[in-house]
Amino acid sequence: MRRSGIKIMAGLIGLIQPLLHFMFMAIFLGVMGYLCSISLTILGTSAAMKILGFEVYFSLKTILTLLILFAVLRGFFRYGEQSCNHYIAFKLLAIIRDKVFRALRCLCPAKLEGRNKGNLISIITEDIELLEVFYAHTISPIAIGIITSILFVIFIGSLSPILGAIAAVSYFCVGAIIPLRNGKKIKNIGMDYRNTIGNLNSSFLESLRGLDELIQYGQTVTRLHEINDITKVLSDKQKKLKDAEGFTKAITEIAILAFTAIMLFSAMTLFSKGILSFEKSLLATVTLMSSFGPVVALSNLSNNLAHTLASGERVLSLLEETPEVVEKTDGKDIIFYDAQCKNLTFGYGEEKILENLSIDIPNGNIIGIHGKSGCGKSTLLKLLMRFWDKSTGSITLSDTEIEEINTKSLRNSESYCTQETYLFHDTIGNNIRLAKADSTQEEIITAAKKAALHDFVETLPKGYDTSIGELGDKLSGGEKQRIGLARAFLSGAPFMLLDEPTSNLDSLNEGIILKSLYEAKNVTILLVSHRKSTLGIASKIISAERGRLS
């Protein structure tokens, strides 16, 4: 369920607490700037009346002095307001990005599996960037508009209560009724627009990554049509937003002209009846005409807020999303010596993947798990890594329930090699070093040798300093997998979880790796594979029955 615009703004304002003093300063400077700006018109009118012989409170010299002073101060106040607002905005964007990355870290991997990556990228980049509009050009203008409107209602009301009431209605209509009606009208369009941008990003990302396959199977034109369809939907939504923006500006201008005419008519009526002097009638009308600036800014906000509030909703929803597994920080640190599963049951939704599974994994042993795809082999490793929490049963490491082990200690005790190794756009050496940031070159070479990778690296002109491209595009599947295995060896964790570690390797390299695993000392290994040849080094093999581990 989508929250209201007021709730979104309240959530975004809640993030500003550490910088409230800057916000108050921005509001104060903004109010003073508008007062100076509007006073220029009022003083100019007063000077004209003085020259024409009408009675004015100040002398002509004083008025001219104030005109120069307010003109200069207006620039300083405006500069100060914008400096404070943009300092707040850019400081908060850095804070929000940090919060978003922390949130993603907590949600990963359980809550992010199968998530639309293009939408996530859109949130991290474009949506957060759009919040600059809210923090730099929304919060203080709202407060400035309200404060300046109250001040000028009081000023005009001091000249005539009737004209003060007209001013109050004018400001409220232009600064509140028009933008609120427009904002309500385009709220859902703004959210749909942001989601469509996310979908377009995803489509481009998938197309770029799968370009070879699209060309191979002649699907480039089809894919282009799909992207064009999304682009057309995006253009249609953007047109609706632009139409709404134009309509709001037109209505605002009409309202300003109408209220100005009403003020002028009312002031002249009071003058004709002798209730109000000509000077005060003219001053009240000029004051209203020149003081719509702050509320016009509020009216124009509704157009930008359609995008900003949609972005705010997406960012806040991500920050408020609860992780599937909460990291443990106040539990126990362990020294690994064995692992055990008892009556373990787990499923994704209604589908049970593991049911009443019991396994003993003694220290220093190699336990193999054999079975067809989909029988729960990979799921068991994820549960042992505590990427997911079990449904029922127990998982213990070193006689300690896995939920009671500090997450950092658990991850330090395990190294996990998945079927698909993710590689960063960096060198081979740095990709291996991911497992141990302070590792020496000798340690990296030793790990690479165990993973049957060193001889290949030695054939490259730059060796371990060779860049592997984005997602390791310059490497084969087997080379990528061996980098993943090198990471596992380098980490030095006493409990290795290996998910199909040799599925992309030829028999020679597989043999070298299996020999390294077999000869590894002070290491306990859980080896998952659908190939029986890979499990030849295991001291015990557990097979899936009826397509499920049990």
Side-chain angles (χ1 to χ4, degrees):
M1 182 179 177
R2 293 178 180 175
R3 69 192 93 193
S4 66
I6 299 297
K7 288 183 178 179
I8 295 172
M9 286 193 283
L12 293 174
I13 291 171
L15 300 173
I16 209 173
Q17 290 181 1
L19 301 170
L20 272 178
H21 52 295
F22 281 101
M23 180 55 66
F24 289 138
M25 180 63 72
I27 292 170
F28 171 75
L29 293 172
V31 170
M32 295 303 296
Y34 268 114
L35 289 178
C36 289
S37 178
I38 296 167
S39 295
L40 293 176
T41 306
I42 297 172
L43 288 170
T45 303
S46 299
M49 288 193 294
K50 187 73 174 179
I51 293 170
L52 293 173
F54 291 100
E55 183 179 347
V56 178
Y57 183 77
F58 296 114
S59 66
L60 186 60
K61 183 179 180 180
T62 302
I63 292 173
L64 292 175
T65 302
L66 289 174
L67 275 170
I68 295 171
L69 178 63
F70 286 170
V72 174
L73 288 177
R74 175 179 176 269
F76 283 109
F77 286 138
R78 180 66 173 169
Y79 176 79
E81 178 211 350
Q82 290 299 308
S83 295
C84 288
N85 279 334
H86 283 88
Y87 175 80
I88 292 168
F90 294 127
K91 189 75 173 178
L92 276 175
L93 292 189
I95 293 172
I96 292 171
R97 283 196 177 95
D98 181 68
K99 287 179 177 288
V100 166
F101 279 114
R102 288 177 184 272
L104 289 173
R105 183 178 176 276
C106 292
L107 294 173
C108 184
K111 276 291 187 76
L112 298 185
E113 280 193 3
R115 197 77 166 258
N116 189 319
K117 298 301 186 292
N119 253 314
L120 287 176
I121 292 171
S122 181
I123 291 172
I124 294 168
T125 54
E126 296 175 13
D127 285 340
I128 291 178
E129 197 64 35
L130 269 176
L131 295 184
E132 185 267 341
V133 174
F134 178 78
Y135 289 115
H137 308 291
T138 303
I139 301 178
S140 62
I142 290 174
I144 291 167
I146 293 171
I147 293 170
T148 53
S149 296
I150 292 172
L151 291 175
F152 282 109
V153 166
I154 294 171
F155 175 71
I156 296 173
S158 68
L159 301 176
S160 167
I162 295 174
L163 299 183
I166 293 173
V169 173
S170 303
Y171 296 141
F172 184 73
C173 181
V174 174
I177 294 177
I178 292 176
L180 285 175
R181 285 180 64 85
N182 181 58
K184 187 176 181 180
K185 180 180 177 182
I186 63 177
K187 175 190 172 185
N188 290 334
I189 300 176
M191 177 60 78
D192 292 341
Y193 180 80
R194 298 309 311 165
N195 288 333
T196 305
I197 287 179
N199 293 335
L200 185 60
N201 287 341
S202 292
S203 185
F204 265 113
L205 191 62
E206 287 179 350
S207 299
L208 288 172
R209 288 181 174 175
L211 194 57
D212 291 345
E213 284 75 10
L214 291 174
I215 293 172
Q216 178 182 349
Y217 295 108
Q219 293 298 312
T220 52
V221 175
T222 302
R223 191 68 178 181
L224 181 61
H225 287 323
E226 291 175 3
I227 292 175
N228 286 338
D229 289 341
I230 299 174
T231 304
K232 186 177 183 303
V233 171
L234 190 65
S235 298
D236 291 341
K237 295 184 187 301
Q238 189 174 36
K239 184 177 183 301
K240 290 179 181 179
L241 290 171
K242 290 295 182 182
D243 289 344
E245 180 180 349
F247 179 77
T248 301
K249 286 184 176 180
I251 292 296
T252 300
E253 294 297 330
I254 291 170
I256 290 173
L257 291 173
F259 283 120
T260 301
I262 291 170
M263 175 65 82
L264 180 61
F265 176 79
S266 301
M268 291 299 101
T269 301
L270 293 174
F271 167 68
S272 65
K273 292 182 177 181
I275 299 173
L276 198 64
S277 67
F278 177 77
E279 293 88 341
K280 289 183 177 180
S281 299
L282 183 59
L283 193 60
T285 304
V286 170
T287 300
L288 182 70
M289 289 175 62
S290 60
S291 61
F292 275 113
V295 289
V296 168
L298 296 184
S299 182
N300 292 335
L301 280 178
S302 62
N303 303 310
N304 291 327
L305 280 180
H307 294 287
T308 306
L309 293 183
S311 295
E313 166 75 0
R314 282 154 59 91
V315 171
L316 289 173
S317 295
L318 182 62
L319 292 176
E320 294 168 2
E321 193 167 343
T322 55
E324 194 75 31
V325 177
V326 179
E327 289 195 1
K328 190 76 172 176
T329 57
D330 58 352
K332 299 178 181 178
D333 290 333
I334 63 166
I335 298 175
F336 178 84
Y337 54 81
D338 73 351
Q340 193 175 60
C341 301
K342 287 185 179 180
N343 301 319
L344 178 62
T345 298
F346 176 80
Y348 298 106
E350 298 296 323
E351 183 186 8
K352 284 188 177 181
I353 304 298
L354 302 174
E355 188 170 5
N356 295 322
L357 175 67
S358 295
I359 301 177
D360 285 324
I361 308 173
N363 187 31
N365 280 248
I366 300 176
I367 304 299
I369 299 180
H370 176 263
K372 297 179 180 178
S373 297
C375 70
K377 305 186 302 296
S378 299
T379 299
L380 174 61
L381 301 191
K382 291 177 182 178
L383 291 174
L384 286 166
M385 287 293 294
R386 203 173 171 238
F387 289 166
W388 296 84
D389 275 335
K390 64 187 185 300
S391 301
T392 60
S394 73
I395 300 175
T396 60
L397 275 74
S398 303
D399 296 324
T400 305
E401 287 288 339
I402 195 169
E403 292 84 2
E404 298 302 317
I405 302 173
N406 286 328
T407 303
K408 186 175 181 180
S409 177
L410 176 67
R411 302 284 160 77
N412 286 339
S413 300
E414 300 172 326
S415 60
Y416 179 39
C417 184
T418 62
Q419 296 181 40
E420 296 182 5
T421 302
Y422 188 90
L423 299 177
F424 294 88
H425 194 167
D426 206 336
T427 65
I428 293 175
N430 286 338
N431 266 281
I432 298 173
R433 189 176 280 111
L434 182 70
K436 186 181 177 184
D438 60 349
S439 59
T440 64
Q441 187 68 16
E442 290 71 22
E443 289 175 318
I444 291 174
I445 292 173
T446 300
K449 286 179 177 178
K450 291 180 179 179
L453 181 68
H454 180 70
D455 289 344
F456 160 71
V457 176
E458 286 293 288
T459 65
L460 302 173
K462 294 185 179 180
Y464 287 91
D465 293 326
T466 301
S467 176
I468 61 175
E470 186 177 7
L471 301 177
D473 286 342
K474 297 179 181 179
L475 303 178
S476 68
E479 289 158 359
K480 293 178 186 178
Q481 194 164 38
R482 280 180 278 168
I483 289 178
L485 283 163
R487 286 174 181 168
F489 283 118
L490 180 63
S491 72
F495 188 22
M496 297 180 72
L497 306 175
L498 307 179
D499 190 357
E500 302 283 2
T502 60
S503 58
N504 294 319
L505 303 182
D506 56 68
S507 57
L508 176 61
N509 285 315
E510 180 184 29
I512 295 172
I513 291 168
L514 294 178
K515 183 175 183 291
S516 298
L517 292 173
Y518 186 74
E519 293 175 350
K521 297 179 180 179
N522 302 317
V523 176
T524 303
I525 300 172
L526 186 59
L527 179 59
V528 165
S529 180
H530 66 278
R531 291 158 58 175
K532 290 187 177 180
S533 60
T534 304
L535 300 176
I537 61 171
S539 54
K540 179 182 178 181
I541 299 175
I542 300 169
S543 296
E545 295 179 6
R546 299 182 302 276
R548 286 287 186 270
L549 282 175
S550 59

